Amino acid sequence: MAARLRGVIAGRIVAAGLGALILGTLAAVAWQAGGLSGLGEWDWRAVRFTIWQAALSATLSAALAVPVARALARRRFRGRGLLVTLLGAPFILPVIVAIMGLISVFGRNGALNEGLRILGLPEIGIYGWQGVILAHVFFNLPLSVRLLLQGWQAIPSERFRLASSLGFAPADIARHLERPMLRAALPGVWLAVFLVCLTSFTVALALGGGPRATTVELAIYQAFRFDFDLGRAATLGLVQIALCIAALMVARWIAIPAAFGAGMDERQGPTGPRGWRVAADAAVIALAAGFLLWPLVAVMVVGVPRLPALQADIWWAAGRSVVMAVISALLAVTLCLTLALTIARGAGRWIEAAGMLPLIASPLVLGTGLFILLRDLASPQQMALPVTVAINAAMALPFGLQALIPAARSLQDDYGQLAASLDLRGWARLRYLTLPRLVRPLGFAGGLAAALAMGDLGVITLFASDQPTLPLKLYQLMNSYRMADAAGAAVLLMALSFGLFWVFDKGGRLDA
Amino acid sequence: MLELRDIAIRQDDFSLSADLSLEQGGRFAVIGASGSGKSTLLSLIGGFLAPDSGRILWQGQDITGVPPGDRPISTLFQHHNLFPHLTVKQNIGMGLRPDLRLNRYQTTRVSQVIDQVGLTGTGDRRPAALSGGQQSRVALARVLLRARPVLLLDEPFAALGPALKAEMLVLLADIADSTQATVLMVTHDPQDARVFSPKTILVEDGRAHPPRDTGPLLDDPPPGLRAYLG
C-alpha cells in the first residue's frame, strides 16, 4: 500500500511540477505583459496571418490528401509499404532540413526555377507566405494521407465486395462508401493540421517574415530577440496560448485520429477501377512521392559528399545535440512513465490534463517565461542548453503519453491484481513487470522525444547560445550562404534524428 | 476460520452483502447467475475491493484493511495468471520473493514444485511455449509454493477442455489437501462443484448465502438457481 501510495504521489509531483512549469511561465508572461493594448498593427497582422496560413495549409493538405490516400488504398504495388512508412517520416524530420530541401528544389537556384527559365516561364519565389504554405503542405500532406488511409482501411472489405457484386461504378463507390467516410474523417484531419501550423515557428523564421508572413511565434521571437520588448513578447505569448486553447476547444467536438510511428500493414483493400483511372492513380502517387522525396534527395546529393569535409565546429554541434537529445528523451520517458502509471491507477483526470498542457504552450512562450523567471539567476547563455533540454522533454510529453497511457492501462487491468496479490511492488514491480511489459511504448516514446529534440530549432534561437546545437548551426550556415556545408550538416542532422529514433525504438523491440 | 461479518458493498445499482463463517481446510464452490456478485465476493476477500461496511477476519484477526499481497491468501484469476515475459521458474519464484532474489533453498523449492505439478524440464520456457493445461499447472505450482492458508479461484480453468479441467481439479484437490488450505472456487459448472466442493455458497439476490451441502443444493436448487442452471 505504501509503495502504491509512493507511486501515486510521484505521479502527482510530476504533474504538479509540469503544471508549475507551464502555468508558472504563463503566469510570469502574464505578469510581465502590459495588456492586449500593447499590441500594434504589426502584431495583429501576425495574429491574422497565423490563423489564415494555418487554415489554408490545413485546407490544401486535407484536399490534396484525398486523391493520394484513395490511390494508395485501392492499388497494390511493389514498395507501397515502404512509401506508407515514409509518409510517417516527416513527423520526426527536422524542420530546418526539410526547408533546406525545399529551397534546393523550389528556391531561386532550385531545379524547378531552372526548368521554368529554360521554358521561358516566370520564376516562382519561395520566400514569403507561399513558402510558408508550401513547407506546411510538405509536412502535413503525408500526415493527412496517413490519417485518411486509416479511414479507407476502416471501411469493411465486405462492403467493397458487395459494391462489386452489385456492379457499382467508381462514382457509386465514391458516393456510398467513400464520401460518408470522408465526411467523418476530414474535419479531424483538417483540425490536426491546423493545430500543427498554428504554432509554426521554424518555417516562418526561415521562409517567412516581413509584414505579410510573420506568425505569432515569429513575432514573439522578434519582440524578445530584436526589440527586447518583454511585455510585447509576453502579450503575444498569451495570444498564442488563447489561439491554441480555442483550437483545442473545437477539437473536443471533433475527434482527431491518431497516426504516427510505425508503418501500416497492407490489409487486403478494395480492387481499384481499371482503365484510365489506373494511370491517374499512378500519377497521383508518383507526384506525391516526388513532392515528398525530391527535396530530401536534393539535400543528400549535395550533402553526402560534403560530410567528410565538415568542419570541427559542426561535429561539436552534432555531439552537443545528441547529448542534449538523449538527456531530453530520458527525462521525457521518465516523466511519461511516472504520469502514465499514475493515470492507469485511476488517479484524477487533472494528472492527464497536466500531461497534455504542453500542447497549449509553445516552446517560445515557455522559453520567454523561463527567461523572465530566471533572468536574475543566470545569463541567457548559461540558461540556453538546460532550458532547451527541459522544454524539449516537456514538449514531447503529450506524444509520449499518447503511446504510453493505453499500454499502462492494459498493464494495470491485466496484471494489477496479480501483482498486488503477490505483493509485487517498488523496484521489483518496475523491473519484473512494468519495464518488460511497457518497453515497446517506452522505446517508441523515447525515440520520438529524442528525434524531436534533435531537430528542434525553437527555444535555442531565443538565447542564441555561443554553444549552438546542430539545427542552430545549420540555420547559421544557411544564413551565411555556405550552402554546401549546410547540405552536409543537414544530412548529418537527418541521419542523427532518424538514427536516434531507430536506436530507441529498436531498443524497445528487443526481446525483453 | 475465515469470517465475513456483515460485509456490504454497493456499486451503482449493484449491491452485495455477506455474513459467512468458513472453517479452515474447507472447500467451497461459489455459484450463482452471471452478474450476481461471485467475483465481487472473491475480490472483497482478496482485498481488491474495499467493503462499504463490515469486517473480514482470519483466525480472529481483522484483515479488512490489509493489502492483497499481505493477506493470508493466494488468488488464481480467470486470465492473466502468468507474466508472459518471465520464464516458468521466474513466474513460480515470484510466489516466494517478488524481487526474485532467491537463495539456494528457495531455488531448490521452485524446482521441486515444478516436478510436483508435472512440469519437469519446462522451467526455462515462457508461458507462450506451454499448452493451456501446462500454464494452469504453473499457476498452481506458485500457489503451492506460496502455501497461503486461503485460496481463491475465479474460474481459472474455464478455458480448458473437460478432461484437462478434471485433471486440474484433481491436482488442485491434492494441493488443497497438502496445504490444508481453505478454498473458494467460483464456477459455472455444477459438476465441478459436485466433484470438488462438499459445500457451496450460493450468491443470489444481492447476498452471499451461508454454505450448504453441495449435493442437496444442486439436486433441489432454489428457483433462481434452477433457471440459471437450466
Side-chain angles (χ1 to χ4, degrees):
Chain A
M1 194 64 81
R4 185 193 148 95
L5 207 60
R6 272 200 298 277
V8 172
I9 288 172
R12 289 191 172 152
I13 289 172
V14 169
L18 203 57
L21 175 72
I22 309 287
L23 301 176
T25 49
L26 187 64
V29 168
W31 171 72
Q32 188 68 35
L36 284 176
S37 58
L39 294 182
E41 176 51 30
W42 175 282
D43 303 312
W44 285 116
R45 197 177 284 179
V47 173
R48 285 196 296 274
F49 176 72
T50 301
I51 297 170
W52 176 79
Q53 61 81 22
L56 184 58
S57 301
T59 306
L60 285 175
S61 299
L64 292 173
V66 173
V68 183
R70 181 169 59 187
L72 280 172
R74 66 188 185 185
R75 305 292 171 197
R76 294 291 175 271
F77 53 91
R78 196 183 292 270
R80 179 186 174 279
L82 179 67
L83 182 60
V84 173
T85 302
L86 279 176
L87 290 174
F91 192 80
I92 54 170
L93 178 71
V95 178
I96 193 70
V97 172
I99 288 167
M100 171 97 206
L102 289 170
I103 292 172
S104 312
V105 176
F106 298 96
R108 216 173 142 206
N109 298 317
L112 193 70
N113 275 327
E114 292 284 347
L116 291 173
R117 270 196 291 273
I118 290 168
L119 294 171
L121 294 169
E123 295 177 18
I124 56 161
I126 194 171
Y127 294 100
W129 66 266
Q130 63 275 35
V132 173
I133 303 291
L134 179 74
H136 283 164
V137 172
F138 174 82
F139 275 104
N140 294 298
L141 176 61
L143 170 75
S144 309
V145 170
R146 280 180 69 98
L147 293 174
L148 286 182
L149 198 51
Q150 277 185 345
W152 249 284
Q153 289 182 328
I155 301 174
S157 49
E158 292 86 350
R159 298 255 169 85
F160 284 104
R161 282 202 289 271
L162 177 65
S164 138
S165 73
L166 294 173
F168 274 25
D172 302 318
I173 291 177
R175 182 179 166 199
H176 297 295
L177 301 181
E178 294 172 338
R179 269 186 229 154
M181 180 278 291
L182 286 172
R183 266 199 298 275
L186 272 176
V189 172
W190 188 91
L191 196 63
V193 178
F194 181 79
L195 272 168
V196 170
C197 297
L198 208 54
T199 53
S200 175
F201 169 67
T202 309
V203 167
L205 176 73
L207 298 175
R212 297 184 62 194
T214 293
T215 59
V216 174
E217 289 281 276
L218 186 56
I220 293 171
Y221 167 77
Q222 288 163 346
F224 184 89
R225 190 95 175 81
F226 299 138
D227 308 332
F228 203 67
D229 184 347
L230 277 182
R232 209 172 110 244
T235 310
L236 284 165
L238 283 179
V239 170
Q240 179 68 46
I241 286 164
L243 285 176
C244 288
I245 290 176
L248 284 172
M249 299 280 269
V250 176
R252 286 187 61 175
W253 299 90
I254 300 171
I256 296 180
F260 56 82
M264 300 151 107
D265 60 349
E266 287 196 37
R267 195 175 69 98
Q268 189 54 49
T271 309
R274 315 313 301 173
W276 64 271
R277 288 186 179 85
V278 176
D281 282 350
V284 163
I285 291 169
L287 277 172
F291 179 56
L292 177 66
L293 295 176
W294 191 11
L296 300 182
V297 171
V299 171
M300 282 160 67
V301 166
V302 181
V304 171
R306 191 71 187 175
L307 273 176
L310 287 181
Q311 288 169 349
D313 57 339
I314 296 175
W315 290 104
W316 276 110
R320 194 175 294 122
S321 276
V322 169
V323 171
M324 288 170 67
V326 169
I327 295 173
S328 218
L330 293 177
L331 185 59
V333 162
T334 308
L335 297 176
C336 265
L337 181 63
T338 312
L339 286 174
L341 291 177
T342 308
I343 292 163
R345 283 173 176 174
R349 284 188 65 82
W350 72 271
I351 291 184
E352 196 168 345
M356 295 297 167
L357 266 181
L359 283 177
I360 64 157
S362 78
L364 288 187
V365 174
L366 270 176
T368 308
L370 280 177
F371 175 81
I372 292 167
L373 286 171
L374 303 175
R375 61 182 159 176
D376 293 333
L377 301 174
S379 71
Q381 273 72 25
Q382 287 172 314
M383 279 189 241
L385 300 189
V387 164
T388 303
V389 165
I391 290 180
N392 281 336
M395 297 310 289
L397 281 183
F399 305 109
L401 283 174
Q402 206 177 346
L404 260 181
I405 289 174
R409 282 202 171 120
S410 76
L411 177 74
Q412 180 65 20
D413 290 347
D414 292 348
Y415 297 106
Q417 289 199 341
L418 178 59
S421 76
L422 291 172
D423 200 21
L424 190 59
R425 58 189 173 185
W427 171 243
R429 184 178 175 125
L430 191 68
R431 182 176 168 195
Y432 291 115
L433 177 61
T434 308
L435 290 181
R437 301 306 300 167
L438 294 184
V439 68
R440 275 189 176 216
L442 279 173
F444 178 72
L448 217 52
L452 292 175
M454 185 73 212
D456 177 62
L457 178 63
V459 72
I460 189 75
T461 56
L462 273 183
F463 299 96
S465 169
D466 52 358
Q467 296 179 305
T469 58
L470 188 55
L472 184 57
K473 189 75 200 165
L474 170 54
Y475 179 61
Q476 289 167 349
L477 289 169
M478 285 167 70
N479 273 351
S480 52
Y481 299 103
R482 288 166 57 190
M483 297 313 275
D485 279 339
V491 169
L492 183 60
L493 179 55
M494 189 161 46
L496 288 172
S497 294
F498 288 128
L500 277 174
F501 177 80
W502 184 83
V503 167
F504 273 88
D505 192 46
K506 186 76 180 171
R509 286 167 195 275
L510 293 177
D511 195 11
Chain B
M1 175 158 322
L2 180 67
E3 294 169 82
L4 280 71
R5 286 198 192 156
D6 298 324
I7 288 288
I9 187 168
R10 173 170 284 280
Q11 295 171 320
D12 301 323
D13 55 353
F14 168 83
S15 68
L16 181 72
S17 63
D19 193 40
L20 306 171
S21 294
L22 309 174
E23 76 267 18
Q24 189 175 355
R27 287 191 227 152
F28 305 89
V30 181
I31 210 159
S34 296
S36 60
K38 303 183 295 291
S39 296
T40 304
L41 178 68
L42 259 58
S43 291
L44 285 165
I45 300 171
F48 305 113
L49 281 176
D52 296 330
S53 60
R55 292 191 303 154
I56 300 171
L57 308 176
W58 169 249
Q59 307 294 45
Q61 285 209 320
D62 191 343
I63 58 166
T64 318
V66 175
D70 296 338
R71 292 190 183 207
I73 292 170
S74 284
T75 308
L76 275 191
F77 305 99
Q78 197 168 359
H79 303 292
H80 305 298
N81 281 302
L82 303 180
F83 297 109
H85 54 281
L86 299 182
T87 63
V88 167
K89 274 185 199 161
Q90 288 174 313
N91 265 293
I92 296 172
M94 245 173 205
L96 286 177
R97 282 197 66 149
D99 62 4
L100 288 177
R101 286 188 204 150
L102 305 183
N103 60 29
R104 193 177 299 171
Y105 170 73
Q106 289 166 325
T107 308
T108 309
R109 282 290 296 134
V110 170
S111 298
Q112 282 172 347
V113 293
I114 287 177
D115 294 342
Q116 215 172 327
V117 297
L119 287 173
T120 309
T122 63
D124 292 322
R125 290 196 208 160
R126 292 194 181 176
L130 303 178
S131 67
Q134 286 175 316
Q135 291 179 13
S136 297
R137 284 171 185 272
V138 177
L140 282 173
R142 190 172 58 214
V143 167
L144 187 60
L145 201 60
R146 265 167 80 78
R148 299 280 167 109
V150 179
L151 177 55
L152 307 177
L153 301 108
D154 192 356
E155 298 186 81
F157 312 128
L160 301 182
L164 208 47
K165 187 160 72 169
E167 198 182 312
M168 287 304 131
L169 287 175
V170 171
L171 183 59
L172 177 64
D174 286 348
I175 291 172
D177 286 344
S178 68
T179 56
Q180 273 301 296
T182 306
V183 183
L184 278 86
M185 181 176 73
V186 169
T187 181
H188 283 286
D189 187 342
Q191 190 56 30
D192 291 352
R194 284 183 200 276
V195 170
F196 184 77
S197 331
K199 301 270 187 185
T200 291
I201 298 166
L202 175 64
V203 183
E204 197 177 48
D205 300 328
R207 187 153 179 250
H209 295 272
R212 289 170 56 186
D213 289 336
T214 301
L217 175 70
L218 294 177
D219 289 341
D220 184 21
L225 183 61
R226 187 190 299 275
Y228 172 65
L229 294 175

